[in-house]
């Protein structure tokens, strides 16, 4: 699984950091730091974080994601 966050689109709402704190971390009010290749154990948390992003700035890529149930609004790529 690979993550791409459009940092130009990210508005710092921090929903991702709340739902997947081992993958996403807010530094200050607007600076997002994230692990672009999180451990597979974080898969469900990452998918929920991508789904919860109000501006849909998170894209999750990878073959593991392709088999995941579709979730409205989140961006997934195989």
């Amino acid at each position: 699984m690979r993550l791409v966050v459009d940092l130009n689109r990210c508005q710092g709402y921090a929903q991702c950091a709340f739902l997947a704190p081992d993958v996403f971390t807010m530094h200050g009010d607007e600076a997002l730091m994230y692990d672009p290749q999180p451990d597979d154990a974080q898969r469900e948390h990452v998918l929920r974080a991508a789904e919860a992003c109000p501006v849909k700035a998170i894209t999750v890529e990878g073959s593991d994601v392709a088999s995941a149930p579709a979730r409205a609004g989140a961006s997934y790529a195989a």
Side-chain angles (χ1 to χ4, degrees):
M1 172 174 43
R2 187 173 93 96
L3 299 178
V4 177
V5 177
D6 183 341
L7 296 175
N8 291 319
R9 179 178 276 189
C10 177
Q11 296 294 307
Y13 290 106
Q15 294 301 308
C16 58
F18 175 73
L19 293 167
D22 292 335
V23 178
F24 302 96
T25 307
M26 294 301 295
H27 290 274
D29 290 335
E30 297 180 10
L32 176 69
M33 302 292 290
Y34 68 99
D35 179 357
Q37 294 184 314
D39 186 86
D40 196 46
Q42 296 296 321
R43 182 174 178 269
E44 267 308 306
H45 296 287
V46 168
L47 293 176
R48 286 184 181 149
E51 178 183 343
C53 180
V55 296
K56 305 306 175 206
I58 303 169
T59 300
V60 181
E61 301 174 340
S63 59
D64 293 340
V65 178
S67 63
R71 291 191 162 88
S75 180
Y76 308 121

